[in-house]
Amino acid sequence: MATDILMPALSPTMEEGKLSKWLKKAGDPVKSGDLLAEIETDKATMEVEAIDEGVLAKILVEEGTEGVKVNTPIAIIAAEGEDVSAASAGGGAPKPEASAQPAPAPDMQAEGQADTPAPSAKTGDDAPKAPAAPATITNKAPAPVMAEFPEGTEMVSTTVREALRDAMAEEMRKDDAVFVMGEEVAEYQGAYKITQGLLQEFGARRVVDTPITEHGFAGIGVGAAFTGLRPIVEFMTFNFAMQAIDHIINSAAKTLYMSGGQLGCPIVFRGPNGAAARVGAQHSHDYSAWYSNVPGLKVIAPYTASDAKGLLKAAIRDPNPIIFLENEILYGQTFPVPKLDDFVLPIGKARIHRPGTDVTIVSFSIGMTYALKAAQALAEEGIEAEVIDLRTLRPMDTDTVVESVKKTGRCVTVEEGFPQSGIGAEISARLMVDAFDYLDAPVLRVTGKDVPMPYAANLEKLALPNVAEVIEAVKAVCYR
Amino acid sequence: MDAAKDAGQAASDTSRAEAQRSGGAMPTGAAATHAPAPNAPQFTREEDLHAYHEMLLIRRFEEKAGQLYGMGLIGGFCHLYIGQEAVVIGMQMASVDGDQVITGYRDHGHMLACGMDPKGVMAELTGRRGGYSRGKGGSMHMFSREKQFFGGHGIVGAQVSLGTGLAFADAYKKNGNVSLTYMGDGAANQGQVYESFNMAQLWKLPVVYVIENNRYAMGTSVARASAQTDFSKRGISFGIPGEQVDGMDVRTVREAATRAIEHARSGEGPYILEMQTYRYRGHSMSDPAKYRTKDEVSKMREEHDPIEMVRKRLIEMHGVPEAELKATDAKVRETVNESAEFATHDPEPDPAELWTDILLEARA
């Protein structure tokens, strides 16, 4: 019986890839373990092995094809002696093992163009209690409320990944004191390809591969910053920065104060924060609330590619230690980025991402994906939500939130982090003080559940917030 | 200070092999004799006078800090350097302007050795506005960018990664400077020390690691805390050279320091110096000292005091009249008394200081 070879998922977050090369041609016999094709993902080029024996009957996706969705049949393997010409795609063939993992349904992929990205597996709408998938809703991206670049500026579709790289490259061109260090940042081109091409342009002096030694290289970065250099320290994930958190807090954040203003520490610690997909409790922690607790730090957690670029450039120029929290799921998402020679955004300013009148939803980073989808669904039901992207967690732009709540009288916060002492808890406390008389309902928090992140797909989905929970919370504060 | 440094470098012509013999002659452990090495490198009269003055300043300063602590004028933690003076002074005599110094929490001696103003240091100890950190750092947290002193760090071992970072910056800027990174025998067991050793050697960073082995990490003796008590060997697995040095003799310290600093400055990478020294006072002011005998301390003070050894040499070898040394003593006492006077009369920080120096203003 003929077997479909499906486009495999080669990383926890891969949704599509490029079929760069076939290593076998139609008619070739294959046996288990033979290399069939090369697949290029957003992170790396990898080879696909055959897991069945037979004859490569038909190639369904030609080499050089980009954007092949995970689980798309790419070839057919026929059994020995089977009529090759009779084999056809989609015959209920078993999936290759490699593709058995995350695999979002390909038909859910919207053409992500506007400010709202395509839904991903993790933020998908098949979560418990979610309403019908809003995948068919047209993306009506509202114009940004605050003009942060001149009207008529050309916008370029850019992934968050490229935006971060461009920000670093631009700042490194401007200032020789800026350098990047971390694990796999140079020759490997970045574990998540954020530093792709930097080694080639700037050389090994300024793009420094470190051993796996977070505590040590974080301290080295801080020491270098004390002398006036401007290190960008990449953590492969902020989970690993727990080994380095002593230097981030005790050495970087406190020294200016302890030195009576003499010794500043212009350093950026950046990397992916929070959950990716199916990577378990030790690789899924969201540290937003932790770092936002510490005086002496600035904490940035952007959602869009343009914010990622404009804020990372600001962070690199800032004379203070900055925690720049990225999100692995967002790396591959595309947003319009203004084509400007020097696009820098102010740290500490929230943005009204979607204006509304009935309720304020406050979020940041990947939390925005739940917030925006919920807002769209709520609009269908006649509830106009104002969605605020905090962008910076410390200093927190309370004014923008308070002004919005004065208008709407209701607030829901959305974050992937834990509930206790979280960002939502902070916002609630501030609203209690600064907008108590305007609140028509208690502030509700939608957060990650108060459990270590489970591995099982169904449990992970339950542990993370989802669109349905945001909708439910909004309806609750609106008494609907 | 600079003149003495120059003179020191010109005069130090002892051969490498000889120096290593003398430097490595002292046995380790509680039974160490600290017998002055018979062929120790000699100092000129000026060098010995300089070392005497500098070490005495630290000794008298620390004694005064101890007094002020007892009077309640200094709060919190206060770790005195008494007994270890020859280490930092010998190191400084081998370094040049631009070389950076960073250490842990037992830091007053390093600050004075770097040329920081005793008034500013003492006023920081008393938490006054004239202190180096305007009263916001305290005993363990003082810095002087002008004197290239980078602290003053209260987390044991943290200064080793930070000091390696200073060396990283020196290499990056190709400025020819060397980072003198101090730690105690206790810190030498921290994990980040070895992460730093690895990167320093991997990248050939200009750093000299000075392990001040005063035999006790707080109250735990080296033998009870360290599987390898020869700290000069702690870099072996990274290929970092190291040597044990009689840290009570400022001459052997200067000799070894010259060699180590030259190694680092010439691009050969890091170097480890285990300074065998002794702390007379407790770990901090609240140390009950139950972990060692009074005899051990008094024997060390009587037979191996780094300052007394120089004083004896000045009189017996260099023929310096006792009166001249007494004049130095008086001058040092006056400096220290002035610092105490300043530190006890300077006002506390303005309450508004609570909210300053948290973040720097970004460039427009």
Side-chain angles (χ1 to χ4, degrees):
Chain A
M1 185 192 153
T3 306
D4 282 356
I5 305 292
L6 305 183
M7 180 72 170
L10 300 171
S11 79
T13 55
M14 173 176 166
E15 291 172 10
E16 59 176 42
K18 176 182 177 184
L19 208 166
S20 43
K21 195 174 179 190
W22 280 104
L23 301 169
K24 296 274 183 194
K25 57 183 188 302
D28 283 357
V30 292
K31 56 182 197 298
S32 181
D34 281 357
L35 299 180
L36 293 178
E38 281 178 10
I39 307 264
E40 203 177 313
T41 71
D42 52 358
K43 289 183 197 148
T45 299
M46 301 182 74
E47 286 153 341
V48 183
E49 287 183 12
I51 54 168
D52 291 299
E53 290 202 346
V55 174
L56 184 61
K58 201 169 180 183
I59 286 174
L60 302 171
V61 176
E62 290 306 315
E63 66 181 30
T65 309
E66 303 214 23
V68 183
K69 303 275 186 261
V70 166
N71 281 351
T72 308
I74 56 173
I76 302 167
I77 290 190
E80 205 95 36
E82 191 180 354
D83 180 5
V84 167
S85 61
S88 64
K95 292 176 180 183
E97 277 171 35
S99 65
Q101 299 266 327
D107 61 350
M108 278 176 54
Q109 296 290 321
E111 292 299 316
Q113 278 179 356
D115 236 12
T116 308
S120 69
K122 192 162 77 72
T123 58
D125 304 291
D126 51 346
K129 289 201 256 171
T136 53
I137 296 173
T138 319
N139 290 336
K140 282 177 286 185
V145 170
M146 286 157 49
E148 293 184 321
F149 41 85
E151 215 173 314
T153 302
E154 186 189 339
M155 303 299 278
V156 181
S157 236
T158 310
T159 61
V160 171
R161 169 180 287 111
E162 293 160 345
L164 293 166
R165 192 262 323 272
D166 293 349
M168 287 190 282
E170 286 177 21
E171 294 306 302
M172 287 174 80
R173 280 175 210 131
K174 279 169 63 97
D175 185 355
D176 183 69
V178 179
F179 69 97
V180 57
M181 74 189 303
E183 293 156 8
E184 310 294 3
V185 296
E187 300 207 356
Y188 192 95
Q189 303 289 301
Y192 294 102
K193 277 198 182 172
I194 306 301
T195 53
Q196 191 165 30
L198 295 184
L199 174 67
Q200 285 66 27
E201 181 174 352
F202 300 103
R205 171 173 168 264
R206 299 182 64 197
V207 186
V208 183
D209 270 332
T210 65
I212 301 172
T213 178
E214 283 83 6
H215 195 184
F217 72 70
I220 287 177
V222 173
F226 285 161
T227 74
L229 293 184
R230 293 178 170 265
I232 304 167
V233 173
E234 175 175 308
F235 292 116
M236 200 180 293
T237 120
F238 264 95
N239 292 276
F240 305 159
M242 280 239 260
Q243 301 238 34
I245 202 165
D246 173 60
H247 278 301
I248 296 173
I249 293 174
N250 272 318
S251 305
K254 296 178 183 173
T255 298
L256 182 68
Y257 196 84
M258 295 193 303
S259 67
Q262 279 188 75
L263 215 58
C265 187
I267 190 168
V268 177
F269 298 102
R270 50 154 290 272
N273 171 60
R278 308 291 311 283
V279 292
Q282 289 184 340
H283 287 69
S284 302
H285 205 118
D286 179 352
Y287 294 92
S288 307
W290 286 40
Y291 291 112
S292 87
N293 184 246
V294 181
L297 294 178
K298 292 184 182 180
V299 184
I300 299 169
Y303 163 55
T304 69
S306 65
D307 286 348
K309 184 176 185 185
L311 287 168
L312 183 53
K313 281 167 67 80
I316 294 167
R317 291 180 197 183
D318 199 278
N320 299 292
I322 309 269
I323 305 294
F324 199 90
L325 302 170
E326 300 158 10
N327 184 284
E328 189 187 334
I329 306 274
L330 295 177
Y331 278 155
Q333 296 194 0
T334 303
F335 298 83
V337 173
K339 191 176 178 185
L340 293 169
D341 287 343
D342 194 19
F343 174 60
V344 185
L345 287 172
I347 295 169
K349 288 269 179 266
R351 180 180 49 170
I352 298 170
H353 193 100
R354 182 191 202 282
T357 49
D358 301 330
V359 60
T360 301
I361 305 178
V362 184
S363 191
F364 57 95
S365 186
I366 195 167
M368 286 295 291
T369 59
Y370 310 109
L372 290 173
K373 278 186 224 164
Q376 282 184 342
L378 287 161
E380 300 283 304
E381 299 187 46
I383 299 175
E384 287 299 332
E386 179 146 294
V387 181
I388 294 177
D389 183 354
L390 287 174
R391 304 195 291 185
T392 301
L393 302 177
R394 183 184 190 93
M396 191 181 277
D397 182 1
T398 312
D399 290 350
T400 297
V401 178
V402 167
E403 283 313 306
S404 176
V405 169
K406 281 183 178 173
K407 187 171 67 179
T408 63
R410 301 154 207 280
C411 182
V412 169
T413 65
V414 183
E415 67 191 303
E416 283 197 349
F418 298 127
Q420 182 162 329
S421 312
I423 300 296
E426 177 64 27
I427 290 167
S428 306
R430 292 189 186 201
L431 288 176
M432 192 108 78
V433 174
D434 294 332
F436 187 76
D437 291 337
Y438 296 89
L439 283 170
D440 295 324
V443 177
L444 285 187
R445 293 174 287 162
V446 176
T447 67
K449 308 305 179 293
D450 205 9
V451 297
M453 183 64 75
Y455 167 70
N458 65 325
L459 296 181
E460 184 184 59
K461 211 164 272 177
L462 289 168
L464 288 166
N466 61 54
V467 175
E469 288 172 350
V470 180
I471 290 170
E472 192 183 22
V474 166
K475 287 184 176 174
V477 299
C478 292
Y479 302 116
R480 296 259 298 242
Chain B
M1 177 104 191
D2 293 334
K5 268 186 198 170
D6 293 344
Q9 273 162 0
S12 110
D13 58 356
T14 318
S15 80
R16 196 183 174 93
E18 201 182 348
Q20 266 162 346
R21 270 202 308 282
S22 61
M26 200 178 74
T28 50
T33 60
H34 276 107
N39 52 354
Q42 296 305 312
F43 269 13
T44 63
R45 183 180 193 272
E46 286 65 37
E47 287 166 348
D48 264 333
L49 276 173
H50 170 79
Y52 179 72
H53 176 269
E54 296 288 292
M55 291 196 288
L56 196 66
L57 176 64
I58 296 175
R59 176 73 53 95
R60 297 284 172 263
F61 182 94
E62 294 287 65
E63 287 166 352
K64 181 61 78 178
Q67 277 176 19
L68 296 183
Y69 193 94
M71 293 159 69
L73 290 161
I74 296 174
F77 295 115
C78 186
H79 310 91
L80 302 181
Y81 197 63
I82 297 175
Q84 303 181 210
E85 297 90 344
V87 176
V88 76
I89 295 305
M91 288 299 303
Q92 283 304 101
M93 288 177 78
S95 74
V96 299
D97 282 351
D99 291 345
Q100 300 115 324
V101 173
I102 187 167
T103 187
Y105 52 77
R106 196 175 305 284
D107 55 358
H108 313 160
H110 301 72
M111 293 185 269
L112 297 176
C114 286
M116 288 166 68
D117 181 359
K119 282 183 186 167
V121 178
M122 196 68 94
E124 190 60 37
L125 295 181
T126 55
R128 305 304 171 98
R129 63 177 60 175
Y132 265 95
S133 299
R134 305 219 290 269
K136 298 182 345 183
S139 163
M140 300 187 286
H141 308 296
M142 276 178 258
F143 308 82
S144 170
R145 199 184 274 288
E146 185 202 344
K147 301 292 182 187
Q148 292 290 290
F149 179 73
F150 286 86
H153 295 273
I155 306 298
V156 177
Q159 78 275 15
V160 181
S161 301
L162 298 170
T164 308
L166 300 175
F168 181 94
D170 290 333
Y172 190 92
K173 297 173 183 169
K174 300 185 174 77
N175 59 16
N177 293 334
V178 173
S179 162
L180 307 177
T181 298
Y182 292 78
M183 75 195 92
D185 48 278
N189 289 328
Q190 285 277 25
Q192 64 179 310
V193 170
Y194 299 91
E195 298 186 23
S196 301
F197 283 1
N198 181 44
M199 285 181 275
Q201 177 74 333
L202 187 67
W203 299 331
K204 299 289 179 202
L205 301 182
V207 53
V208 175
Y209 296 111
V210 185
I211 302 175
E212 298 193 64
N213 177 5
N214 64 19
R215 301 192 195 178
Y216 297 94
M218 212 168 150
T220 305
S221 70
V222 161
R224 292 201 300 123
S226 297
Q228 170 56 272
T229 56
D230 181 344
F231 291 93
S232 71
K233 292 182 178 165
R234 291 294 183 98
I236 282 179
S237 61
F238 308 100
I240 303 175
E243 53 185 285
Q244 290 187 311
V245 182
D246 179 354
M248 303 302 271
D249 187 333
V250 68
R251 300 169 303 173
T252 56
V253 171
R254 205 271 308 267
E255 180 69 23
T258 303
R259 192 160 48 244
I261 291 171
E262 168 56 24
H263 177 92
R265 206 186 306 283
S266 66
E268 297 286 309
Y271 202 101
I272 294 172
L273 295 176
E274 177 193 342
M275 297 293 178
Q276 298 187 316
T277 182
Y278 199 77
R279 130 169 89 68
Y280 295 174
R281 296 293 186 93
H283 160 72
S284 66
M285 296 304 296
S286 50
D287 180 349
K290 299 281 189 210
Y291 49 87
R292 62 182 182 187
T293 62
K294 278 194 177 134
D295 281 355
E296 178 183 310
V297 183
S298 54
K299 188 171 164 58
M300 193 62 76
R301 293 194 80 132
E302 281 156 25
E303 296 174 16
H304 307 287
D305 187 76
I307 298 173
E308 277 310 308
M309 284 195 285
V310 182
R311 189 181 170 91
K312 196 156 171 261
R313 275 205 302 278
L314 283 168
I315 294 167
E316 292 175 6
M317 284 174 55
H318 300 303
V320 175
E322 189 107 31
E324 189 181 329
L325 295 179
K326 281 196 170 142
T328 301
D329 297 357
K331 196 176 123 212
V332 165
R333 269 188 203 287
E334 195 187 324
T335 303
V336 168
N337 287 339
E338 277 170 10
S339 76
E341 187 72 11
F342 175 73
T344 49
H345 290 90
D346 191 40
E348 289 188 308
D350 189 284
E353 281 286 333
L354 179 66
W355 296 104
T356 62
D357 305 323
I358 299 159
L359 292 170
L360 287 167
E361 286 294 316
R363 287 177 292 179

